[in-house]
Each structure stands twice: as structure tokens, then as C-alpha cells.
Amino acid sequence: TLRTEERQRLARERREEREKQQAAKETQILEKERKAKLQYEKQVEERQRKLKEMKQKEEQRRAAVEEKRKQKIEEEKERYEAVMHRTLERNQRLETRQKRWSWGGSVTPDSESKTALLSTASKRSTSTANLKQAEAAVNKRLSSSAALLNSSDRTRRSQLSPLDSSVISRLLAPTQASLARSKSAATLSAD
């Protein structure tokens, strides 16, 4: 009986030891799972934070690009308006010059215009001969430069392709038009 009791006690102690070990293992497993879960949650939070930061950076970059684009458009608009303003001023100056040529005198207020007209009338009578000589010289220059342009234009065009020659003729058209304008201006001033 003593041996059986001793055996039962030893068996009970072994069983209790096994249960303790099993409980310790389960506790370790639970602790590991808890730590793994915390680690995973931290990683998820870190990812979300990084994604949020990336989104903010992307939005800031887009806003900066949009701001640059708007600024560029504004600068181009200002440049275009400045060019238009300069063109209008140039056209107005040309119109006043043409008016001066056609009126035979400068554009002045009424009190000065009479004296200016009288002085120009007296100057006209003396300088009519000079104007005719100047007109002849201008006509000669215009005809020679037009002939030069046409001859050099023909030699160049023979070497160029049809597309290039059409582009060049288009580019030369304003030059010939300006020559015609200056010729008509000379004849107007002579008249």
C-alpha cells in the first residue's frame, strides 16, 4: 500500500508538473500572440501614417505645380498684354506720322496749327524741287532694291524645295509691302 500511495503521489506530482508546464506554454503562446498582434497593429498604424504623409506631400506638390502653372499663365498674359500695348502704341505713332504726312505738317493745337501751316506752306514752295529730286532718288533705290530682291530670290528659290520657297515668299511679302508703303508715302509727301 505504501508503494501504491508513493506511486500515486509521484504520478500526481508528475501530472501537476505537466499541467504547470502546459499552462506556462499556453501563457507564453498567448504572450507571443499578444506581442505579435501589437506589432502588427503598430505596423498598420505606421503604414497608415506614411500613406497619409505621402498623400499630403503629393497634394502639396500638386498645389505647387498648379500655382506655378497659374503664375506662368499670368506672366504670359501680362507679356501678351504688354506686346499688345506696344503694338497699339506703335500703330498710333504710325497713324499720327501718316496724318502728319497727309496734312503736310505736324499735329499741333489750333493756335499753333495756323502758324505751322503758314511756315510749311512757305517751306513747300522752296522745297518742292528738293522733294522731286528726293522722290526720284527714292524711286530709283526702291526699283533697284526690288530688282535685287527678285533676282536673289529667284536664284535661292531654284535651290530650295517647294515648301521652303513658299515659306520664304510668305516671309518676303511684308518686305515688298513695306517698300510699296514707303514709296506711296514718298509720293504723298511730294504731293
Side-chain angles (χ1 to χ4, degrees):
T1 56
L2 285 172
R3 279 186 178 181
T4 55
E5 285 178 8
E6 186 67 25
R7 281 180 192 165
Q8 285 175 354
R9 187 179 62 77
L10 286 171
R12 194 171 46 244
E13 284 176 1
R14 277 192 225 121
R15 195 169 46 246
E16 286 174 359
E17 188 64 33
R18 270 200 304 262
E19 285 174 358
K20 280 181 186 177
Q21 285 176 355
Q22 189 67 29
K25 278 184 183 178
E26 286 177 1
T27 308
Q28 283 179 348
I29 290 170
L30 287 172
E31 186 65 25
K32 279 183 181 178
E33 284 178 356
R34 189 182 66 81
K35 283 182 180 178
K37 192 176 179 183
L38 283 173
Q39 185 75 18
Y40 177 74
E41 286 174 356
K42 275 185 182 178
Q43 286 176 350
V44 167
E45 284 176 8
E46 188 67 23
R47 275 195 207 129
Q48 286 176 348
R49 187 181 60 79
K50 282 183 180 177
L51 281 171
K52 198 174 183 181
E53 284 178 2
M54 284 173 61
K55 275 186 182 178
Q56 284 177 348
K57 282 181 184 176
E58 184 66 23
E59 285 174 5
Q60 287 173 352
R61 191 187 65 80
R62 281 183 186 166
V65 166
E66 184 65 23
E67 186 64 31
K68 264 189 181 179
R69 191 182 67 81
K70 283 181 182 176
Q71 193 174 4
K72 201 171 184 181
I73 288 172
E74 192 65 31
E75 286 173 1
E76 286 177 0
K77 187 179 176 185
E78 286 174 4
R79 206 176 304 132
Y80 175 74
E81 287 174 356
V83 166
M84 289 299 291
H85 185 69
R86 282 198 301 269
T87 306
L88 286 172
E89 282 182 352
R90 202 176 303 134
N91 286 344
Q92 286 175 352
R93 282 198 299 266
L94 283 172
E95 283 177 12
T96 54
R97 282 183 193 164
Q98 286 175 352
K99 285 177 184 175
R100 285 179 189 168
W101 290 338
S102 64
W103 293 342
S106 62
V107 180
T108 53
D110 285 339
S111 60
E112 296 174 8
S113 64
K114 290 178 183 176
T115 56
L117 283 173
L118 287 174
S119 65
T120 52
S122 63
K123 285 178 188 173
R124 268 192 203 164
S125 60
T126 58
S127 64
T128 307
N130 293 339
L131 282 174
K132 285 182 181 177
Q133 289 174 356
E135 181 188 352
V138 165
N139 284 337
K140 196 179 284 184
R141 279 189 201 146
L142 286 173
S143 61
S144 65
S145 61
L148 268 172
L149 274 173
N150 286 335
S151 65
S152 62
D153 192 28
R154 281 189 206 107
T155 55
R156 282 191 200 121
R157 282 186 190 173
S158 64
Q159 299 167 356
L160 296 173
S161 68
L163 178 67
D164 291 340
S165 63
S166 68
V167 168
I168 288 174
S169 65
R170 250 189 265 143
L171 287 172
L172 285 174
T175 308
Q176 292 169 352
S178 66
L179 288 172
R181 273 200 302 272
S182 60
K183 186 176 177 183
S184 65
T187 55
L188 277 174
S189 64
D191 289 344

